[in-house]
């Protein structure tokens, strides 16, 4: 199963291709665009995994370069991720009280958001604590009265 | 396979680069290839793809066009059967040629000397 890092590498590789054409990409370029630091060997294994999952095909590989061609499945995953990112940005700007907290990703690498509405959460907490306090006071009254 | 002059010269360039890697692959730009062709050969930029396609048809290599981030075109070349044995085939055909030349010289010398041999026998 591919993780978030693998899908980020896929995004970087496919952003350098145009209209499904093959591309020659320098490894240092990919490493510089990736937010986290990884070694060249780790990058090689991620790229191999992407190829095994039929997202890209590796035409050429040496110490410095990759020659890759995007596969249809990889192209679809990339476009879906780009669309999801655009939608998430649009929704986030509209609802400022919405927080998306997620660790889950689907088969296309799109994050599955768990949306928490802070106002709703605060209301629920207030009502729950009121009800809890009410019943605690009621029991305390009954015990004091009849015991 | 008998190659033309342009095909031979281009194949020399491709073979030299591709044979350096284990899997017989290399990445070359059109400029890289043209700069490695000797000046005495009249090889234009427009001849490049045509000659490459002819070598592809003869099963020397296959190639894929790719773009770099700068927009430059690169060729990803993978040697095929005839390409891998190109150097060996060249040596074998050279040996054959030398052998044929020596054989021709011997036969010519023998033909010339038959007159004297016959006259010596029937003297």
């Amino acid at each position: 199963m591919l993780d978030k890092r693998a899908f980020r590498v896929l995004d970087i590789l496919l952003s350098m291709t145009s209209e499904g054409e093959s591309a020659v990409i320098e490894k240092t370029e990919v490493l510089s665009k990736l937010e986290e630091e990884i070694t060249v060997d780790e990058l090689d294994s991620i790229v191999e995994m992407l190829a095994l999952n039929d997202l890209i095909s590796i035409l050429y590989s040496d110490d410095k370069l990759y020659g890759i061609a995007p596969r249809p499945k990889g192209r679809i995953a990339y476009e879906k991720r780009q669309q999801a990112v655009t939608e998430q940005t649009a929704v986030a700007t509209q609802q400022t009280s919405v927080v998306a907290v997620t660790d889950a990703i689907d088969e296309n690498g799109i994050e599955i958001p768990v949306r928490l509405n802070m106002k709703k959460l605060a209301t629920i907490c207030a009502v729950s604590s009121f009800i809890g306090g009410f019943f605690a006071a009621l029991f305390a009254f009954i015990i004091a009265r009849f015991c | 396979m008998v190659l033309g002059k342009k095909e031979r010269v281009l194949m020399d360039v491709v073979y030299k680069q591709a044979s350096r890697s284990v899997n017989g692959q290399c990445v070359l730009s059109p400029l890289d290839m043209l700069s490695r062709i000797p000046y005495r050969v009249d090889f234009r930029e427009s001849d490049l793809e045509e000659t490459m396609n002819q070598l592809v048809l003869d099963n020397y290599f296959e190639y894929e066009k790719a773009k770099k981030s700068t927009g430059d075109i690169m060729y990803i070349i993978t040697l095929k059967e005839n390409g891998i044995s190109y150097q060996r085939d060249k040596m074998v055909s050279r040996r054959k040629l030398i052998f044929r030349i020596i054989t021709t010289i011997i036969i010519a010398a023998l033909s010339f000397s038959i007159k004297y041999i016959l006259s010596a026998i029937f003297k």
Side-chain angles (χ1 to χ4, degrees):
Chain A
M1 190 66 193
L2 297 168
D3 58 5
K4 272 196 230 176
R5 193 164 63 176
F7 280 106
R8 268 205 292 276
V9 170
L10 178 69
D11 288 344
I12 292 166
L13 293 173
L14 262 64
S15 66
M16 294 182 183
T17 64
S18 54
E19 291 174 13
E21 285 179 348
S22 312
V24 170
I25 297 166
E26 288 183 30
K27 292 186 182 184
T28 48
E29 221 175 319
V30 179
L31 290 170
S32 64
K33 286 188 178 182
L34 211 51
E35 285 153 6
E36 47 186 298
E37 276 195 37
I38 58 170
T39 61
V40 175
D41 289 335
E42 282 171 336
L43 180 64
D44 284 344
S45 58
I46 289 171
V47 171
E48 265 177 48
M49 247 195 329
L50 292 173
L52 281 169
N53 280 276
D54 203 30
L55 295 169
I56 59 170
S57 63
I58 303 174
L59 303 172
Y60 178 82
S61 175
D62 68 8
D63 301 336
K64 293 176 188 170
L65 297 174
Y66 290 124
I68 62 128
R71 301 282 293 145
K73 193 174 158 187
R75 190 100 253 179
I76 290 167
Y78 172 68
E79 282 166 11
K80 278 191 175 173
R81 280 170 62 78
Q82 295 303 302
Q83 207 176 10
V85 163
T86 322
E87 281 171 6
Q88 275 179 9
T89 319
V91 166
T93 50
Q94 282 171 15
Q95 295 178 19
T96 51
S97 60
V98 171
V99 172
V101 175
T102 179
D103 256 342
I105 52 173
D106 70 3
E107 59 184 18
N108 291 319
I110 299 167
E111 291 176 347
I112 303 166
V114 173
R115 293 221 156 86
L116 301 173
N117 190 329
M118 294 304 279
K119 281 183 186 170
K120 229 182 199 177
L121 190 64
T123 316
I124 291 167
C125 288
V127 168
S128 312
S129 52
F130 175 78
I131 292 169
F134 176 77
F135 279 110
L138 186 64
F139 290 139
F141 175 75
I142 292 167
I143 289 165
R145 176 86 182 184
F146 295 109
C147 295
Chain B
M1 201 104 19
V2 180
L3 295 177
K5 195 176 184 180
K6 289 183 182 177
E7 289 164 1
R8 208 171 43 246
V9 147
L10 183 63
M11 192 58 213
D12 283 340
V13 170
V14 167
Y15 184 84
K16 200 172 177 183
Q17 296 303 309
S19 58
R20 286 178 190 174
S21 76
V22 173
N23 45 12
Q25 283 187 311
C26 63
V27 174
L28 290 168
S29 68
L31 190 62
D32 283 337
M33 289 199 270
L34 291 168
S35 64
R36 287 180 162 94
I37 291 171
Y39 285 117
R40 66 173 189 278
V41 180
D42 180 23
F43 202 109
R44 314 269 165 103
E45 197 180 340
S46 52
D47 296 331
L48 189 62
E49 277 205 18
E50 192 188 322
T51 314
M52 283 178 77
N53 290 332
Q54 283 163 2
L55 289 168
V56 164
L57 286 171
D58 285 340
N59 207 28
Y60 279 92
F61 57 77
E62 58 183 7
Y63 74 94
E64 185 85 34
K65 252 186 187 172
K67 271 191 180 169
K68 251 186 145 172
S69 53
T70 50
D72 299 331
I73 291 176
M74 305 290 279
Y75 295 117
I76 301 172
I77 297 170
T78 311
L79 290 178
K80 297 196 85 181
E81 231 177 80
N82 286 343
I84 292 169
S85 63
Y86 175 70
Q87 200 65 17
R88 177 161 169 74
D89 289 346
K90 218 171 153 183
M91 266 168 41
V92 165
S93 61
R94 204 174 285 162
R95 251 184 251 152
K96 272 187 187 169
L97 182 67
I98 293 168
F99 181 74
R100 276 196 193 124
I101 291 170
I102 292 170
T103 315
T104 310
I105 292 169
I106 291 169
I107 290 171
L110 202 65
S111 311
F112 180 76
S113 57
I114 273 184
K115 179 190 163 188
Y116 298 101
I117 294 168
L118 285 173
S119 59
I121 292 169
F122 295 111
K123 215 175 184 176

